[in-house]
Every structure is written in C-alpha cells, then in structure tokens.
Amino acid sequence: TQPCTGGQTCNGSKANPYLINSISPNGSKTVTLYGGTRASNPVYYDIDSISFAGNAAIAIQGFVVLNVQSTFSISGNGITNSINNAPEQCQIFFAGNSASMGGNGEVSAIITAPLASFDLGGGGSGGAFLGAISALSIDDHGGYPVHYDIQLSKMNGALGQLLVSSYT
C-alpha cells in the first residue's frame, strides 16, 4: 500500500510515515529529524534519497526509522546521528543496490541493506561508523573505522551476533 494516500495524514507511524523526497543539505546545514521516546515506539520516515557532504548533518532527536529508497551517500565531514548517540536511535533500511560512506563521514546507526554493495572508504581524520551494517557486501578500505556495538545483539534478537562471512 502507498503511505499517506486517500486523505490519510502522514503521522510518522509505520503505516503512515512522514514522506521526504530528498535530504541533501549543502554547506554546514543541519536537518533535524524528530523521533519517538523509546526504541519500541520510533517515528518512521520514507525518504527517496540521502546524499550529502561538506559539514552537512542529519541530527536525530529520539528514535527514528529511515526507509531510504534509492540513494545513500555520506561523505566530507557529513554526520548522521552523531556517534555520541546510541546506534539504535537511528535504524536505516536501504532498498537500493549501492551505498557509500567516507571522507570523514560520521554515522551512528543500524543499517539494513540486503540488496546493496556498501562502500566504506577514506575515513580521513575523523570519519567513523558505530553500530551494525547488514548488506549484500561491504567493502571497507582507505582507513574507515567501523565499531560494532555489542549491545545491539541484545535488541530483541533482531540483529544477532556479528558475523563476517569473508575477509580479504
């Protein structure tokens, strides 16, 4: 079913998520997304594209679920849910087939991207990922640090234990 059609109001629920075409701030702009007060009651956003760099940021207040359709790219000092926040505050479900983070991009999240080749490259002096990524493949190169939060394995069994299927 299509969210928020036929006179429905987008209210941030799973059935009627807030609809955003694109989040692509430029320069030093910050986009703030407001969420629920508990992980069990997040606010949902359906977003076609997230793409930014150059000190731009997405600030997360509370707990959110981001359903991203086509583009996910964070680089150049871009920040999504600062690594000072717990990864479970920002759950990202990505439906595309190619995603990237790098160039000092900083992300704290749980990312599920079953169809995507995920590229983590060029961490620079301050880029880092905190949380968990589940993807078709993950290529970590160029010194991009990844920190798995072991507390995530306790989240209702949703993520389970860290598993590396191959390493080269």
Side-chain angles (χ1 to χ4, degrees), residues 55-115:
N55 295 318
I58 298 176
I60 303 296
Q61 300 289 323
F63 294 86
V64 300
V65 173
L66 309 179
N67 297 309
V68 181
Q69 186 66 33
S70 65
T71 304
F72 184 82
S73 175
I74 299 170
S75 64
N77 296 321
I79 298 173
T80 299
N81 192 34
S82 167
I83 59 172
N84 295 323
N85 293 339
E88 59 268 20
Q89 284 183 252
C90 183
Q91 295 183 56
I92 300 170
F93 294 93
F94 179 59
N97 59 15
S98 178
S100 65
M101 290 187 294
N104 286 326
E106 181 182 290
V107 178
S108 175
I110 299 168
I111 300 175
T112 304
L115 305 174

Side-chain angles (χ1 to χ4, degrees), residues 17-152:
Y18 292 116
L19 303 176
I20 300 173
N21 183 42
S22 173
I23 297 178
S24 54
N26 55 24
S28 295
K29 301 220 172 154
T30 298
V31 173
T32 301
L33 298 177
Y34 296 93
T37 57
R38 296 182 316 272
S40 60
N41 189 26
V43 171
Y44 291 80
Y45 293 86
D46 279 2
I47 304 166
D48 181 58
S49 170
I50 293 177
S51 178
F52 60 87
N55 295 318
I58 298 176
I60 303 296
Q61 300 289 323
F63 294 86
V64 300
V65 173
L66 309 179
N67 297 309
V68 181
Q69 186 66 33
S70 65
T71 304
F72 184 82
S73 175
I74 299 170
S75 64
N77 296 321
I79 298 173
T80 299
N81 192 34
S82 167
I83 59 172
N84 295 323
N85 293 339
E88 59 268 20
Q89 284 183 252
C90 183
Q91 295 183 56
I92 300 170
F93 294 93
F94 179 59
N97 59 15
S98 178
S100 65
M101 290 187 294
N104 286 326
E106 181 182 290
V107 178
S108 175
I110 299 168
I111 300 175
T112 304
L115 305 174
S117 297
F118 220 100
D119 183 64
L120 304 171
S125 61
F129 176 79
L130 173 64
I133 300 174
S134 174
L136 180 64
S137 67
I138 301 169
D139 184 5
D140 185 3
H141 56 90
Y144 197 85
V146 176
H147 306 278
Y148 175 69
D149 185 344
I150 61 172
Q151 295 299 320
L152 295 176

